[in-house]
């Protein structure tokens, strides 16, 4: 909303010295958001000039320019005529024009200098409306006698050399503010002025008050209007007040007065014609959108009703729109559709150049109805914007009166005596209010008198229903549909006093700190980062064909996810089911940006499963019943916390004192186990076959009880190719929720034995197909409780063990907690271990 | 004619000739003093201490002396051998120290040679800022609450007093889940976590809800469709806007610097009443620099929204006892990161380029 300061001064006593910035600050203080400051950026000398000579000169490029001699009085310091080149042609010698002289500055910091152009020294510029920021018109320059037509005061001052900056309002600023959805009334100068008055305490006279101007009383002689809403939304009639006024014999093509044009321009609207300008002007002043119909194009009564299936309307923007049964329509006698109520009119009844009789509509439409229509037809108009947020149902007749008065004043004609005003708008409902509530809710003392005074200043009617207690009855203002209960009024009291006065007090509470799950997630990420991985974030959106490229089978559970109705990109409508889905993309991006060796990780939620049953969305009315609430909560798909990692290239690159090594499967398995280890979970590793991993290089990572935690290994070469990743990319992904559930019990310490340790080495020969983990498990079980540690230090394959077999060399460290082990005892334990391995895996001791 | 080489050639020294003994000692001491290395010193031992050295020969002669001369000769030769032996020991010590020092010098490394044996990892700064924010509130006695990102529409909108016709619920902002009427969305804020918390727990409630949220904005220098928020919720007896202001002031002073405070401006949100915008004092210029790039010279930076929890919202979550009041606020992690660390372009935050995270390490 644009608030021209000049207009504001007309409505409320703005301090004459106040700058636009100060005015904006006052408005911000009570809740309007400052968007921008406009105007005040043209710097003189900008003066009246009289064209003495105009010599057209044709140029080589075919363009004709005018070499002009302009009398600018003494403004140029010499009194001599000023030579200026001008490209416009809409003026003659003798005309009065707006001249900016060298040294002047136009908007956008454009400083005027005397410069050589088209063979002349042009010392200044004759300005158009656009160059002065006064409108879009740049077809020609401003001829001041036209510009100020009808304004005798201004015309009398038009002598060469007169300063035009104040005369044209160029010293006036416009404050642009953002209006929050609860303050629909601030989409009017009436509302802005009231807020300014509230903020500064200056008196305010409401231009929308019932007694602001004489308003003709309603009678039966007006144009017939029928309100026949057969399908109100939420029980509210689509239209609960409709005022129709008629002006006959008006010259709709007359120019609207300059003051009105400049206010419209300053408000960001283009002056068009009297009929359009007046409706816009009244809307900007009072917040009441108006519609002007060509009366002679109406055949019968105006009927306001909902649309019927199949009805269409070609709106003023020349788009044919198929109407929806929820759309509220203005119709001619119930038949021809004239407009979508409160949104936009149609072409068939529009006021044109030939219109002489005008019907002015001022109505009050249901916010929800208008909001839905505007949304449905993607038509956010000045009218719909206001109706959506609630228009004052008490200002309707005043607005219509002002419109017809302005039409007659500037376009002639007469106002019909017949005045239509039908419908019964809902009135605000009074409610009880405890005047101590502001103090209790804000934490700052607000005396009762202040509370009452503020509410009255806001426009509420306060009745002292309980003179001995704290309770009053508050009837909200008709333009404040947002004031419905106590806290709404508290905000009024608090903002008028000023939020700056609210003290600062820290509430005291004892909490439990981070949960185990939160600590687990932090520890997992920290561990990976400490192992040289870099955390990244990726968008969780994927396309279905990714699952094919990852090699998922048709019935893979990981294909089940939710699909977005309006994805960012049509090719990525699904939510990822693994972090790797998108982490691999990030890996590729890093490689394509020149990173050869990359190790990444990401922690976050993945979606598992879709929503087979729709979640209920009951209208807000307290807590839903348990069944509904359960249905809501249960409809949300599972979203476990995962952590995933991916690496390609070398762990370390060749360099001084460094042996290079590529990332391999054992790195990702190692990271997986390390994440488990820091959380106190000894994770087990078994061979697995699962897309997208290499079938021979995939580890299933599990809890000791077998519960799946995740997978790690090298990507399948086909996946590497399909996703355009570096060869031998290794990846893993773990479910941190599983790890969270499995950990958290305090780790119990073992007593440390101080008896000496005894080492012994064994080499066990097994079939190639026997996993090392099985051999190790057997050795451990056979070696018994005195086995302190076991390390696989070599794997040998070759002639000495035979084809298809391998030799696993282990170092066993024994230590008893009770005694020093003798050599014979260690040998016996070792033999037990070998025997257990032989039994479990067929291992033989290598001689 | 040349004399014998006293260093190498066996020279017979008569045990009874003190001059000869003294001469042998002098020769030995001179040779020891002149030895430049442990090897050289070792090679001298034969000539001066070995079996054929003059003093050893003299010693051997003592046995042949008459008893009357034995004692004196023995004493003389013994002392001489002792002096030579201690000269060797002393010189041996000196030379060992010299050798050790030389080895340390020879073993010196150029410690400035860059040797990288392990790649360095890093956390994403969004995670680090989130943790820091969490820690600030945990230190104030709050807890951290989390919830799903694919969320029930009722929890994301209706329960927050954002009715069906609220503009914030429209297509242009929200990612909706298919099919139409699924009742699911990608949460547009972490407020549904507030509702879930209130549904689950009775007051007093002091929670911070950090997390990923989604809006259908296009990615540009300052916007991203997937971003991170932290929302706070307190519901307790006697909670006021002053508590809201106090909590925010305490938070910004810990994140942005001691003495930094917030300013509240009246605003509107469906889920709070009264509502306010949160401005944070500019910690770069404190409002003293008209051309400050951080605050635009106003001295204040808009960082979020807040207010007293709307009673309809409390009621939606089952809190109907009017003795309980509450406040809530919401701020952006990306914005905090950009402001606090001078990140100029949102692309860097979201694209996953390792070079971005690497700048921040593990602590922020
Ligand atoms: Zn600053």
């Amino acid at each position: 909303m644009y608030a021209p300061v000049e207009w504001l001064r007309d409505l409320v006593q703005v301090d004459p010295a106040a700058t636009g910035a100060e005015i904006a600050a006052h408005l911000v203080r009570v809740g309007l958001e400052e968007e921008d400051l406009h105007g005040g950026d043209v710097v003189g000398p900008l003066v009246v000039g009289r064209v003495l000579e105009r010599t057209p000169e044709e140029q080589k490029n075919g363009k004709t320019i005018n070499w002009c001699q302009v009398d600018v009085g003494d403004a140029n310091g010499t009194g001599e005529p000023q030579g200026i080149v001008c490209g416009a042609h809409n003026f003659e010698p003798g005309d009065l024009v707006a001249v900016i002289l060298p040294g002047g500055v136009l908007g956008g910091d454009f400083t005027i200098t005397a410069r050589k152009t088209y063979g002349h020294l042009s010392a200044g510029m004759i300005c158009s409306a656009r160059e002065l920021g006064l409108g879009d018109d740049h077809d020609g320059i401003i001829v001041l006698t036209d510009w100020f037509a009808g304004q005798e005061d201004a015309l009398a001052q038009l002598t060469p050399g007169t300063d035009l900056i104040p005369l044209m309002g160029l010293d006036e600023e416009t404050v642009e503010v953002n209006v929050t959805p609860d303050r629909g009334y601030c989409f009017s100068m009436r509302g802005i002025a009231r807020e300014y008055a509230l903020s500064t305490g200056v008196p305010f006279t409401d231009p929308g008050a019932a007694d602001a101007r004489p308003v003709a009383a309603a009678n039966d002689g007006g144009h017939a209007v029928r309100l026949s809403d057969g399908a109100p939304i939420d029980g509210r009639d689509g239209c609960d007040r409709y005022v129709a006024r008629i002006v006959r014999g008006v010259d709709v093509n007359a120019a609207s007065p300059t003051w009105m044009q400049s206010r419209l321009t300053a408000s960001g609207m283009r002056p068009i014609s009297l009929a359009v300008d007046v409706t816009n002007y009244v809307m900007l002043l009072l917040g009441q959108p108006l519609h002007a119909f060509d009366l002679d194009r109406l055949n019968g009564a105006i009927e306001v009703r909902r649309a019927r299936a199949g009805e269409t309307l070609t709106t003023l923007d020349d788009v044919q729109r198929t109407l929806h049964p929820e759309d509220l329509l203005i119709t001619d006698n119930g038949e021809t559709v004239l407009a979508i109520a409160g949104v936009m009119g149609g072409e068939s009844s529009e006021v044109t150049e030939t219109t002489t009789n005008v019907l002015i509509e001022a109505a009050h439409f249901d916010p929800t109805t208008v909001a839905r229509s505007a949304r449905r037809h993607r038509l956010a108009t000045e009218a719909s914007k206001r109706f959506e947020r609630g228009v004052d149902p008490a200002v309707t007749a005043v607005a219509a009166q002002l419109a017809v008065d302005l039409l007659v004043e500037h376009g002639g004609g007469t106002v019909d005596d017949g005045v239509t005003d039908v419908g019964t708008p809902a009135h605000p409902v009074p409610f009880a209010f405890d005047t101590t509530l502001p103090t209790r809710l804000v934490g700052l003392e607000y005396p009762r008198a202040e509370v009452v005074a503020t509410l009255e200043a806001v426009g509420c009617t306060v009745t002292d229903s309980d003179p001995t207690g704290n309770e009053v009855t508050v009837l909200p203002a008709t333009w404040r549909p947002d004031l419905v209960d106590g806290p709404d009024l508290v905000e009024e009291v608090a903002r008028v006093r000023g939020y700056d006065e609210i003290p600062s007090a820290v509430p005291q509470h004892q909490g439990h700190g981070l949960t185990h799950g939160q600590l687990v997630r932090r520890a997992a990420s920290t561990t990976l980062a400490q192992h040289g991985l870099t955390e990244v974030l990726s968008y969780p959106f994927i396309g279905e064909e990714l699952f094919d490229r990852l090699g998922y089978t048709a019935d893979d559970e990981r294909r089940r996810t939710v699909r977005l109705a309006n994805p960012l990109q049509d090719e990525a409508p699904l939510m990822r089911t693994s972090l790797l889905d998108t982490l691999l993309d990030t890996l590729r991006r890093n490689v394509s940006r020149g990173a050869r060796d990359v190790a990444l990780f990401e922690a976050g939620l993945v979606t598992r499963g879709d929503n087979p049953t729709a979640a209920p969305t009951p209208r807000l009315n307290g807590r839903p019943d348990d069944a509904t609430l359960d249905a809501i909560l249960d409809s949300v798909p599972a979203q476990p916390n995962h952590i995933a990692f991916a690496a390609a290239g070398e762990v370390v690159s060749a360099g001084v004192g460094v042996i290079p090594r590529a990332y391999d499967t054992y790195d990702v398995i190692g990271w997986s186990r390390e994440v488990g280890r820091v959380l106190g979970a000894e994770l087990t590793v078994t061979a697995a076959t699962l897309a997208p991993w290499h079938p021979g290089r995939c580890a299933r990572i599990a809890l000791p009880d077998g519960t799946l935690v995740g997978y790690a290994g090298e990507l399948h070469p086909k996946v590497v190719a399909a996703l355009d990743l570096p060869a031998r990319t290794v990846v893993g992904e773990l479910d941190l929720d599983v790890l969270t559930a499995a950990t958290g019990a305090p780790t119990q310490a073992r007593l440390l034995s101080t008896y000496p340790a005894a080492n012994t080495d064994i080499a066990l020969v097994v079939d190639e197909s026997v996993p090392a983990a099985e051999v190790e498990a057997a050795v451990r079980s056979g070696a018994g409780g005195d086995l302190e540690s076991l390390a696989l230090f070599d794997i040998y394959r070759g002639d000495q063990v035979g084809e298809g077999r391998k030799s696993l060399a282990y170092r066993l460290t024994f230590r008893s907690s009770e005694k020093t082990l003798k050599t014979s005892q260690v040998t016996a334990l070792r033999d037990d271990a070998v025997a257990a391995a032989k039994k479990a895996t067929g291992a033989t001791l290598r001689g | 004619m040349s004399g014998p080489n006293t260093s190498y050639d066996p020279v017979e020294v008569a045990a009874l000739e003190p001059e000869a003994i003294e001469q042998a000692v002098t020769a030995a001491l001179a040779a020891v003093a002149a030895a430049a290395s442990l090897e050289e010193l070792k090679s001298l031992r034969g000539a001066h201490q070995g079996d054929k050295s003059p003093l050893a020969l003299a010693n051997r002669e003592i046995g042949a002396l008459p008893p009357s001369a034995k004692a004196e000769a023995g004493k003389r030769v013994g002392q001489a051998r002792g002096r030579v032996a201690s000269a060797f020991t002393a010189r041996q010590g000196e030379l060992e120290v010299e050798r050790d020092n030389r080895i340390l010098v020879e073993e010196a490394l150029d410690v400035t040679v860059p040797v990288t044996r392990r790649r360095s990892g890093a956390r994403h700064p969004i995670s680090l800022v989130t943790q820091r924010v969490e820690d600030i509130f945990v230190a104030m006695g709050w807890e951290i609450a989390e919830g799903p990102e694919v969320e029930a529409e009722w929890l994301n909108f209706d329960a927050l007093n954002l009715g069906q016709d609220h503009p914030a619920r429209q297509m242009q902002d929200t990612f909706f889940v298919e099919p139409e009427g699924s009742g699911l969305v990608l949460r547009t804020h972490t407020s549904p976590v507030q509702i879930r918390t209130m549904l689950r727990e009775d007051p007093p409630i002091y929670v911070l809800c950090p997390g990923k949220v989604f809006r259908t904005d296009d990615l540009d220098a300052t916007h991203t469709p997937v971003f991170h928020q932290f929302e706070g919720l307190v519901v307790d007896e006697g909670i006021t806007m002053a508590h809201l202001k106090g909590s925010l002031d305490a938070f910004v002073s810990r994140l942005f610097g001691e003495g930094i405070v917030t300013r509240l401006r009246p605003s509107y949100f469906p889920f709070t009443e009264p509502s306010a915008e949160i401005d944070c004092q500019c910690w770069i210029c404190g409002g003293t620099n008209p051309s400050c790039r951080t605050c635009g010279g106003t001295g204040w930076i808009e960082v979020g929204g807040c207010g007293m929890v709307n009673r309809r919202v409390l009621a939606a979550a089952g809190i109907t006892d009017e003795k309980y009041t509450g406040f809530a606020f919401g701020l952006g992690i990306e914005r905090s990161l950009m402001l606090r660390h001078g990140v100029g372009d949102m692309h860097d935050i979201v694209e996953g380029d390792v070079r971005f995270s690497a700048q921040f390490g593990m602590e922020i």
Side-chain angles (χ1 to χ4, degrees), chain A residues 7 24 61 90 132 219 240 284 363 601 611 619 762 808:
Chain A
W7 199 349
N61 60 9
N90 65 326
L132 294 176
N219 54 47
D240 58 13
L284 290 174
F601 78 97
N611 62 323
R619 183 173 281 274
I762 53 171
L808 307 173

Side-chain angles (χ1 to χ4, degrees), chain B residues 22-336:
Chain B
E22 193 55 38
Q23 199 180 353
V25 169
T26 306
L29 295 187
V32 165
S37 69
L38 287 165
E39 292 72 30
E40 196 180 323
L41 186 67
K42 194 177 172 189
S43 68
L44 291 177
R45 282 190 192 276
H48 299 288
Q49 288 187 303
D51 291 347
K52 292 176 181 170
S53 66
L55 291 177
L57 292 174
N59 197 44
R60 212 178 293 158
E61 275 182 20
I62 292 171
L65 289 177
S68 59
K70 256 184 189 168
E72 198 204 334
K75 189 180 168 195
R76 188 183 306 129
V77 173
Q79 282 177 346
R81 293 182 81 186
R83 285 168 66 199
V84 170
S86 57
F88 265 97
T89 305
R91 186 61 185 152
Q92 173 86 19
E94 286 169 17
L95 287 172
E96 279 176 0
V97 167
E98 270 177 34
R99 178 201 60 192
D100 289 352
N101 286 342
R102 196 173 57 248
I103 287 173
L104 293 180
V105 168
E106 285 167 358
E107 285 180 353
L109 295 177
D110 178 357
V111 296
T112 68
V113 169
V115 176
T116 309
R117 294 213 169 84
R118 262 185 93 204
R119 197 168 294 286
S120 303
R123 298 293 311 278
H124 195 283
I126 287 289
S127 306
L128 295 175
V129 170
T130 304
Q131 281 189 14
R132 181 167 276 261
V133 170
E134 288 172 352
D135 291 346
I136 289 170
F137 282 97
V138 167
M140 290 201 279
W142 297 35
E143 284 162 22
I144 309 300
E146 291 145 323
E149 291 163 5
V150 179
E151 181 59 288
E153 211 174 333
W154 189 83
L155 293 167
N156 191 74
F157 289 131
D158 299 81
L160 290 155
N161 199 30
L162 282 145
Q164 280 290 350
D165 293 295
H166 196 280
R169 201 158 164 168
Q170 303 327 313
M171 268 291 187
Q172 62 267 26
D173 288 318
T174 309
F175 287 106
F176 287 89
V177 169
E178 278 198 340
E180 199 174 330
S182 70
L184 296 181
V185 295
L186 300 191
R187 66 179 178 194
T188 58
H189 41 199
T190 59
S191 311
V193 182
Q194 296 187 29
I195 304 295
R196 285 173 175 269
T197 304
M198 289 190 283
L199 284 168
R200 200 172 50 231
E201 296 166 23
D202 291 327
I205 290 170
Y206 290 76
V207 289
L208 186 81
C209 314
K212 196 171 280 187
V213 300
F214 306 82
R215 305 262 174 99
T216 56
D217 289 327
D218 287 324
L219 173 63
D220 64 25
T222 54
H223 297 86
T224 162
V226 182
F227 56 104
H228 299 76
Q229 269 197 331
F230 58 98
E231 294 189 351
L233 170 72
V234 166
V235 183
D236 202 348
E237 285 184 51
I239 290 296
T240 67
M241 280 185 91
H243 292 131
L244 166 59
K245 174 90 163 68
S247 300
L248 292 169
D249 283 345
F251 165 68
V252 297
S253 71
R254 284 158 176 76
L255 190 67
F256 295 116
E258 207 54 49
I260 298 296
V261 295
T262 58
R263 174 180 78 173
L264 302 185
R265 275 182 292 118
S267 189
Y268 169 78
F269 305 105
F271 27 86
T272 49
E273 187 74 36
S275 304
E277 298 281 351
I278 309 163
D279 292 338
C280 180
Q281 217 171 16
C282 179
W283 56 91
I284 302 293
C285 77
T288 57
N289 176 6
S291 53
C292 174
R293 283 175 54 209
T294 304
C295 68
T298 63
W300 296 95
I301 302 156
E302 191 178 323
V303 292
C306 66
M308 300 303 288
V309 183
N310 191 310
R311 276 187 194 163
R312 286 168 60 79
V313 175
L314 291 177
I319 299 173
T320 50
D321 189 336
E322 291 208 357
K323 78 180 176 194
Y324 292 119
T325 53
F327 68 74
F329 59 79
L331 291 91
I333 298 273
E334 275 78 0
R335 187 159 165 73
S336 300

